[in-house]
Amino acid sequence: MKQALGAVRRKFQPWNDPASRPFIEFRNVSKQFGSFTAVDHQTLTVFEREFHALLGPSGCGKTTLLRMLAGFEEPSEGEIWLDGKNLAGVPPHRRPVNMMFQSYALFPHMSVEKNIAFGLKQDGMPRGEIAARVDEMLKLVKLEPFAKRRPDKLSGGQRQRVALARALAKRPKVLLLDEPLGALDKKLREATQFELVGLQESLGLTFLIVTHDQEEAMTVADRISVMKEGKIAQIATPAEIYEAPSSRYVADFIGSVNVFEGTVESSSPGRLQLETDQGFTVRTATAPVLGAGTKAWFAVRPEKMRIDHDRPEGDGVNMVSGEVWDIGYLGDVTVYNVRLDSGKLVRASVMNAQRAVARPISWEERVWLSWSDDAGVILLD
Amino acid sequence: MRRFSTFNLVSVTFGFAFLYLPIVILIIYSFNASRLVTVWAGFSTQWYVALLHDQAILDAAWVTIRVALFSATVATVLGTMAAIVLVRRRRFIGRTLFSGMIYAPIVMPDVITGLSLLLLFVALNFDRGFWTVALAHTSFTMCFVAVVVQSRLLSFDLSLEEAALDLGAPPFRAFFLVTLPVIFPAVAAGWMLAFTLSLDDLVISSFTTGPGATTLPMKIYSQVRLGVTPEINAVCTILVALVTIGVLIASVVGKTGMRATEAA
Amino acid sequence: MAEKERTSLSRRVVTWIPYAWLVVFFLIPCLIVLKISLSQTALAIPPYEPVFSTFADIRDKVGEFSLDSFALLTQDSLYWLSYLSSLEIAAISTILLLIIGYPIAYGLARANPSIRPYLLMLIILPFWTSFLIRVYAWIGILKPEGLLNQLLISLHLISQPLAITNTNWAVYIGIVYSYLPFMVLPLYATLEKLDVTLLEAASDLGATPLKAFWQVTFPISLPGVAAGALLVFIPAVGEFVIPDLLGGSDTLMIGKTLWHEFFDNRDWPVASAVAIVLLVALVVPIVLFQNAQSRAQGAK
């Protein structure tokens, strides 16, 4: 049986099922602003009921993708399809998607309930139905006592809920979230992330979220598109992105990672040996077959490394020694920065499973770092 | 969104045409050879030459400039003080009355301001003439200066002045060495505004003037009532040209000043 | 301690100089107008006797106060017709200014930010040129043999010159033209601050551009509409130059009536009474304006 990478949140994997129908499709989409290319010939498929995150640093084109789906920007090239319909030329107010804006964009001259009712009124929904739907939404985001308040009399967290309720009120085919939690403090943000997930599952809607916060993307999304300079670097589940990044960029963007450059020594299915520039040898079980002499990188996460005073047993591969340069005690984990003889700093983190340690590692001590055959990945880019 | 742009372009263009066409026409006809203002009879500068020999107009212009210089300068000092009071002194006896006396004259119809000031001068048995006009102009223009300077002072970073105080400057000196230089563009703009309002005023001058103090707008008004003449077109053209040059210089100076204070 | 006292002294001086000036040149003159409006017409026959009085004097003279001038205002229909007509002309002009000024302000606020300061300067520039000149410029355009009629006749749109000068229409045009910057600037200030994402949100929730304008942009710009309307309505009510130069003999405006009462009839008490009634009529809008101003300042 194939081992699963990391934790799996729910049994929902339409992307692995060739029979499932795409819901949102960006087909070879480009967007140019003057001479600046915000999105460069990208294709992306999102499935119905999927929670998909567009993740990347600012200026990587993630917000532009979202705004093109909402209709605020028209693609310079390519097509966007939603539920089997080409959206080209459809103005924003006729698209069955709703957006939760980064600034929330709550109408300052309207009460909470008027804000939530705004979209329903545009559709000409009967008054009674609007009132019922608004009540339902207020209950959903737990804002019933604040129905008559103006947005400027609400806290940041409450405003965020109004924005969410307003965008959900029309039961859109897709809910677009543009950095929805950016303005909240850390504690509230984390709590809200789980609420968003619960909401998405219970309503059965498709969510497309834009964020630069990798933790947020990992928490909420079924799949993540990691973006870089107008291109999608990798589309995969959070666990795959973390455990099997496709490039150094993705590996580095999500979490922290140690990367060693080297040359392939030998390679066969299920086994690859790499001679690093640091003078130690890496052996890994998870790699494609590559020709000897190919330049490649070995990436390994700090928590996959062991740190010991003594040289570990074994055949001398997957280990390297160095001097403890820096120790960061973070409570749950301790992070060691180890300086190799070449001067390169390598990071290893150790879970503090016990309160006391018999033989603690301290500054300037000589230590050995080691890892197993399946701890890291070989990257070609 | 594109559709809006066309609409915006049309409305802005129409707005500017509406604002500028009458003035442009007036300027063009000041170079008309014909005495008849509505018939074009070739280019001529004769009306400008005629102006140079019209002593009454020249006298009126001189009075107007002196009044404007005096009143703008005094109004700037008073208005800046008033702005400081409005912004910095949140509580004192009669603050509501004070701010009311700043805002009310701005919207008060000129006829009332003019009449009330005249009655004051009569009551005080002042000889009406240059000084009464100048005082009247000072008191209505200082309110405009106060509003202009006030809006700049509100955005002034108080920590600059506090830094000066912290470094040992007494409050008065801190104001002159730090605050005043920073808000200077607004003070200068206030002066310009007061100067132009004074140059421009007809109604208040007419009420408060006396023998020998006829201002240019009064002179123009008395001639305009008799009909449109090319001489008046010429006077107007000169005024428009002077004001335009003044505003352009002020905006260039203001911009460099603004940039300097932003950099600080 | 000495330092502290000097500070408060300089503060007091800075406060009291402009305060005293405003009291002498604004408040007292207004009170004098009130006093003279209450005095007998006979008192005011030119040359006018200096009657500056202390408060004690005023108390002594209360018995002599006469409401004759005010009575005249109610009896002679000229006065209250002037008031009504002024309010009407100012109201119509304000509405016209809103209709013309709003699209201009909107266009400016949506213009490319790099050219906005220049456009704004072009709006303000005519304001710096003489009011009188701007009104005068329209005489040449609007009069029967003027340029507008010449143009319309040459285009065969009309056969007879339109009589525009000496009608209320000329006054509307004059007021709209002269006051346009005062309407555009406050509107621009609120429209420029309007967050564009609000319009995107409205559009995202299904509002057509027109609906988004009426349900979002316009309500949010209402403070600017109010400021602009008050800023033009109040002075327009008391306008003298425009009705005098562009309007006809049957254009009744209170500023004009006051002027003629004062300069032509030399009836100072009646002129003062007219001023007092005008002031009272404008107190409510002036207070509204002042409140709007201080609220706008406080919000910053």
Side-chain angles (χ1 to χ4, degrees), chain B residues 16 19-20, chain C residues 119-129 181 185:
Chain B
F16 284 132
L19 280 176
Y20 283 93
Chain C
L119 294 178
L120 209 56
M121 207 176 90
L122 279 175
I123 288 284
I124 302 170
L125 191 62
F127 158 77
W128 294 93
T129 66
L185 291 180

Side-chain angles (χ1 to χ4, degrees), chain B residues 3-264:
Chain B
R3 247 177 320 144
F4 267 111
S5 302
T6 335
F7 174 74
N8 290 345
L9 192 68
V10 169
S11 56
V12 171
T13 314
F14 173 81
F16 284 132
F18 177 63
L19 280 176
Y20 283 93
L21 263 182
I23 296 174
V24 170
I25 290 170
L26 180 141
I27 292 170
I28 292 171
Y29 276 86
S30 75
F31 294 104
N32 190 356
S34 165
R35 171 113 223 145
L36 288 169
V37 197
T38 47
V39 182
W40 181 255
F43 181 84
S44 157
T45 51
Q46 56 172 310
W47 308 115
Y48 290 87
V49 179
L51 265 190
L52 286 177
H53 297 100
D54 189 335
Q55 196 56 43
I57 292 257
L58 295 179
D59 288 347
W62 180 229
V63 170
T64 310
I65 289 171
R66 273 162 48 223
V67 168
L69 282 176
F70 172 85
S71 60
T73 308
V74 179
T76 302
V77 175
L78 289 169
T80 305
M81 284 172 148
I84 293 166
V85 173
L86 280 177
V87 175
R88 298 285 175 82
R89 292 203 63 182
R90 285 282 155 210
R91 262 166 225 291
F92 62 92
I93 303 158
R95 191 183 191 283
T96 316
L97 176 68
F98 185 77
S99 75
M101 289 194 301
I102 293 288
Y103 290 119
I106 290 174
V107 284
M108 185 110 114
D110 288 350
V111 281
I112 300 182
T113 312
L115 176 69
S116 66
L117 283 165
L118 166 68
L119 295 179
L120 172 79
F121 294 135
V122 170
L124 293 173
N125 209 7
F126 249 55
D127 278 338
R128 277 170 285 148
F130 174 84
W131 286 107
T132 48
V133 176
L135 286 174
H137 283 196
T138 306
S139 80
F140 91 91
T141 54
M142 72 167 274
C143 301
F144 287 87
V145 178
V147 170
V148 170
V149 176
Q150 182 202 22
S151 66
R152 177 66 188 89
L153 266 181
L154 278 170
S155 63
F156 175 79
D157 181 4
L158 210 58
S159 61
L160 287 180
E161 202 173 300
E162 284 165 354
L165 293 173
D166 181 63
L167 294 168
F172 230 69
R173 211 181 304 157
F175 178 80
F176 277 101
L177 291 179
V178 177
T179 313
L180 194 58
V182 173
I183 64 165
F184 186 76
V187 175
W191 187 91
M192 281 271 304
L193 183 61
F195 186 80
T196 339
L197 286 169
S198 168
L199 276 189
D200 200 19
D201 175 70
L202 165 70
V203 174
I204 294 171
S205 311
S206 299
F207 273 100
T208 52
T209 191
T214 304
T215 64
L216 195 55
M218 290 163 66
K219 192 82 199 155
I220 296 174
Y221 173 71
S222 64
Q223 296 208 6
V224 166
R225 296 202 70 179
L226 304 175
V228 176
T229 66
E231 288 102 332
I232 293 299
N233 280 1
V235 175
C236 294
T237 303
I238 292 171
L239 280 179
V240 169
L242 287 178
V243 167
T244 309
I245 292 166
V247 170
L248 288 179
I249 290 173
S251 76
V252 170
V253 172
K255 229 171 245 156
T256 31
M258 212 80 91
R259 237 176 273 134
T261 47
E262 267 163 24

Side-chain angles (χ1 to χ4, degrees), chain A residues 30 63 118 128 165 198 204 219 222 238 247 273 275 277 289 293 351-352 355-356 359 379:
Chain A
S30 286
T63 302
F118 186 91
T219 310
D222 292 313
S247 63
Q273 207 145 312
E275 182 68 29
D277 295 357
V289 178
M351 183 69 91
N352 296 322
R355 293 175 62 219
R359 223 183 122 196
L379 302 171

Side-chain angles (χ1 to χ4, degrees), chain C residues 76-210:
Chain C
D76 192 334
S77 65
L78 168 75
Y79 298 104
W80 55 268
L81 283 179
S82 302
Y83 279 114
L84 289 181
S85 159
S86 291
L87 292 176
E88 186 194 322
I89 289 175
I92 292 175
S93 307
T94 304
I95 292 166
L96 289 174
L97 272 161
L98 256 178
I99 295 169
I100 295 171
Y102 204 104
I104 298 175
Y106 190 89
L108 285 181
R110 293 283 165 276
N112 190 330
S114 60
I115 59 165
R116 248 185 254 162
Y118 300 100
L119 294 178
L120 209 56
M121 207 176 90
L122 279 175
I123 288 284
I124 302 170
L125 191 62
F127 158 77
W128 294 93
T129 66
S130 167
F131 185 68
L132 192 57
I133 293 176
R134 283 177 288 147
V135 176
Y136 165 73
W138 278 97
I139 300 178
I141 296 172
L142 295 179
K143 62 184 183 174
E145 69 280 16
L147 292 166
L148 184 63
N149 276 319
Q150 284 183 23
L151 179 75
L152 292 177
I153 290 174
S154 68
L155 292 174
H156 299 290
L157 289 174
I158 52 169
S159 52
Q160 289 296 311
L162 295 174
I164 305 174
T165 40
N166 303 334
T167 67
N168 283 359
W169 277 107
V171 178
Y172 299 144
I173 293 174
I175 293 179
V176 167
Y177 182 67
S178 316
Y179 288 37
L180 194 57
F182 295 106
M183 181 57 94
V184 170
L185 291 180
L187 286 175
Y188 169 80
T190 50
L191 286 172
E192 191 235 23
K193 270 185 278 170
L194 181 82
D195 184 358
V196 190
T197 54
L198 290 180
L199 297 181
E200 287 184 349
S203 166
D204 183 63
L205 293 165
T208 59
L210 202 64

